[in-house]
Amino acid sequence: MMAQYHVLKAQVPDCLLFYRMGDFFELFFDDAKAAAATLDIALTARGMHDGQPVAMCGVPVHAAEGYLARLIKAGHRVAIAEQTESPAEAKKRGGSKSLVARGIVRVVTAGTLTEESLLDAKAANWLVALAEAGGELAIAAADISTGRFEIGCVLRGQRDAELARLSAAEIVVPDTLEDAPHGAYPCPRARFDSAAGEARMKTLFGVATLDGYGAFSRAELSAAAGLLAYLDNAGQGTLPFLQPPERRQAAGHMLIDAATRESLELTQATDGGRRGSLLDAVDRTVTGAGARLLRADIAAPLTDRGAIEARLDLVALFEADAALRDTVRRALKAQPDIGRALGRIAAGRGSPRDVGQLRDGLAEARGLHDRLGRLDDQPALLMTLLPQLAGHGALVDQLTRALVPMPPVDADKGGYIAEGYDAALDTLRASGGDGRRAIAGLEARYRAETGIATLRIRHNGVLGYHVEVAARHADPLMRAESGFTHRQTLAGVVRFNAPDLHDHAVKVGQAGAHALAAEAAHLEELTQAVLDRRHAIAGTADALARIDVAAGLAERAGEGGWCRPTLVDHSCFDIVGGRHPVVEQAVACAGGRFVANDCALSEESRLWLVTGPNMGGKSTFLRQNAAIAVLAQAGSPVPATSATLGLVDRLFSRVGASDNLARGRSTFMVEMVETAAILAQATPRSFVILDEVGRGTSTYDGLAIAWAVVEAIHDRNRCRCLFATHYHELTRLAERLDALTLHHVRAREWKGELVLLHELVRGPADRSYGLAVAKLAGLPAPVVARAKSVLAKLEAGRNATGGLAAGLDDLPLFAAAAAAEPKVDPLHAALAAADADALTPREALELVYRLKTILENDPG
């Protein structure tokens, strides 16, 4: 057995091996130690191997999914080794001592899950492959639980934003890829062959050319090749169901980098959970598929105005008709998740219940089609979706006739094929039923003949049908002339067999076995009928999800008094009565009222400098406008009285402070890296929110950086920007920068107490109220008093010297200052780049020659 185990383990050295032994999956050696530590189960030892005890632990097969979930969540990969023949077949093949053959049937990883209990019903489970070829970088992504498949090229600077959008469960890369994402799994480069990827996709989708799906580049085909090879290995030669690939262009949606997603808490809160995120505050979907689609919409807002308007039109249909909305949402709420049921069936892990869910879901989809199809003035998107809800009549009829109303999860015990579907199966069941009734008659006869009123005929998997009596009544049945044969003695009971019981048991067993085989054959037939229509069924699942999203957004808009945004082609951002849905929800729960604020960015006023006290609402104002941009371009109503927006190509947020200790970055370093990315990538169509840039260093350094960043945003990026700051000296820039306007959040002191009004008004704040906020926060009174005296001294010094910003009015504007930057000395740069301690003698000589060449070419 250990020899067989080691052969299998050698095939998956990077996985924990679940080795099937009867009703348990056993783990051995280091696998057992790792699993025992993760699962908190007993670690034991059995026998010896190479002079050492063999460490082992095990989990029951019937409960394996729960253990798998914990192992996968902990970052492990698990290979499943099942018995590939029965003990009887092994005995027939090699004698009574022959070992049952086993083989690896599946590799379970975070990106290849299909089990319902292992997946989040409200989130997609993306497996992503990265590859490069021909100077391009491409991403292929698949959610095998539903069959979604995307391929597209990305610019190197956009890679992390795309990965953040997908929030991949697992990323695979060629082992030669430089600068691979953190945590990516390296695979042999040979698996990412573009020619092999093209051939494999043609075979998978049964086409002679891929032109119908798009003109894929070598990099895209290479990424697809790596993804399919990884799935093939995980399925041990069996690929899951995949829909035809959607060729995704990065320019088709708003680009949002990982830092911005995190700071805005778009789809998950800072603690990693869903609660407290923008998605959680917006989501009113009633199906898992709808929740997953809404998450995808918010993660990737569109930049195509026509597509956004089509989504908004569908939302408007349900918003205008509350009765229709309620009817549709009730119908959808009763819908099973047919997309994931189809995924399990296609992966070979489907159950009779999954087939029954498809029957019920497709029947409900047809009813929804009929209800919505009778509407007048159907939106264009609805007209596109309606045909996808119908066309399954023959399949639904077949499944309705074939399956019982509530099919079981476990197919092994049968009972899922309906009576009347197969006359031969009905006959077998009747025969088995007659046999069981005959056995019940035997029990009554045996009681009468023996006089033992407590005699029972029972059944188990080892003995089959047998007679069981209490030990005190066993002696008469032990006699040779009794007609009973002793089988087993246990504590308190004795078990017997009898010839006529054996005959009936054989008939019942044969009828039952034949019935199970007949049901299994029918299930295989029904499964194939489903798979023959898998692409159409997936289209129905997608259509139902889109309708659920639209109806849910209409429900949310009605709850909160949200408005439909107006999208325009020119660069503007005009919000009246804007609110932050997450904060508004929290304030309402606390019994308060959220203060709405306007925002009117335009070409003449595209950069707002916002000042005011901490806790006054600056950060909330910045975030709510970014959230409104996301929602609007996702095709959702927005939390405002009115909203007119020019489309945003990229969204940037530098809000909040955090260390990245794992990468050796301080709070200030993280702030500077994120700010640098904004200045390098923001375009005139972008939307940027910046909060307290420069606060992580000394006052003079911070002010200088903030001053230069404001000028750069205004003069070079020329994007729409909200810039919150405590550096009141920056307000001087309003006199020099034409498109910069000043705003502040209002606050008042009343009888020595600070009153925060959370209202944004034009003009600079009169002061920061820092000491008042400190007092509100509970700083000890002596400390606040001392701070007041220190502040008085500082303000006196500021008034005497002109303050921190003294002399800044004489600075040239950003463009002129940038032009005056000193020329880089190439000789100095080459010397600075050399690592003297690491140079070999030959490299040192080559450096000298290189320096002489630089000096000759640039003697100045």
Side-chain angles (χ1 to χ4, degrees), residues 816-842:
E821 289 182 2
K823 181 181 177 183
V824 176
D825 177 7
L827 190 65
H828 181 274
L831 277 170
D835 185 350
D837 293 330
L839 291 175
T840 64
R842 183 179 182 83

Side-chain angles (χ1 to χ4, degrees), residues 665-680:
R665 291 178 176 174
S666 66
T667 299
F668 182 66
M669 183 63 174
V670 170
E671 177 185 323
M672 290 298 99
V673 167
E674 293 174 2
T675 304
I678 294 170
L679 297 178

Side-chain angles (χ1 to χ4, degrees), residues 193-356:
D193 180 74
S194 59
E198 181 177 12
R200 188 140 207 176
M201 282 208 292
K202 288 177 180 177
T203 302
L204 180 62
F205 299 111
V207 295
T209 175
L210 299 176
D211 292 347
Y213 305 131
F216 296 112
S217 67
R218 281 186 57 216
E220 290 171 318
L221 293 172
S222 176
L227 182 78
L228 294 176
Y230 189 81
L231 289 174
D232 182 69
N233 179 68
Q236 294 295 289
T238 301
L239 281 175
F241 164 61
L242 292 177
Q243 299 182 48
E246 174 189 346
R247 191 161 188 265
R248 193 173 187 95
Q249 301 288 344
H253 59 269
M254 183 192 295
L255 292 177
I256 310 173
D257 60 32
T260 299
R261 290 176 191 277
E262 183 178 351
S263 69
L264 296 179
E265 300 178 280
L266 293 183
T267 57
Q268 65 179 31
T270 52
D271 62 2
R274 197 172 189 268
R275 187 174 181 82
S277 67
L278 176 65
L279 173 63
D280 183 57
V282 171
D283 189 5
R284 295 297 183 271
T285 58
V286 293
T287 69
R292 295 193 295 272
L293 182 58
L294 179 61
R295 181 188 180 105
D297 288 349
I298 290 177
L302 301 175
T303 53
D304 183 322
R305 182 177 168 187
I308 299 169
E309 295 286 6
R311 289 184 184 177
L312 290 170
D313 287 343
L314 185 57
V315 175
L317 169 72
F318 293 115
E319 197 172 358
D321 191 337
L324 172 67
R325 183 170 75 243
D326 291 343
T327 299
V328 168
R329 282 167 58 81
R330 279 197 302 271
L332 288 170
K333 194 170 186 178
Q335 273 277 358
D337 197 334
I338 61 175
R340 285 199 162 163
L342 177 63
R344 290 190 292 273
I345 291 170
R349 291 185 281 278
S351 68
R353 187 183 71 171
D354 290 322
V355 182

Side-chain angles (χ1 to χ4, degrees), residues 5-96:
Y5 170 84
H6 284 297
V7 169
L8 294 172
K9 178 62 181 173
Q11 298 175 26
V12 286
D14 57 345
C15 297
L16 302 181
L17 181 59
F18 269 31
Y19 182 84
R20 179 73 178 265
M21 293 178 64
D23 292 333
F24 277 78
F25 284 120
E26 300 289 355
L27 298 98
F28 300 100
F29 303 104
D30 290 342
D31 286 2
K33 295 175 183 177
T38 301
L39 301 175
D40 193 23
I41 58 178
L43 181 69
T44 61
R46 173 181 174 182
M48 303 290 288
H49 181 77
D50 291 339
Q52 297 292 325
V54 178
M56 66 176 293
C57 66
V59 300
V61 171
H62 69 84
E65 282 191 5
Y67 292 105
L68 272 175
R70 292 166 63 187
L71 290 170
I72 298 300
K73 188 174 182 180
H76 294 291
R77 301 156 54 80
V78 181
I80 308 293
E82 288 277 9
Q83 296 174 182
T84 56
E85 63 179 356
S86 67
E89 290 170 332
K91 184 176 180 181
K92 184 177 180 181
R93 170 176 54 81
S96 60

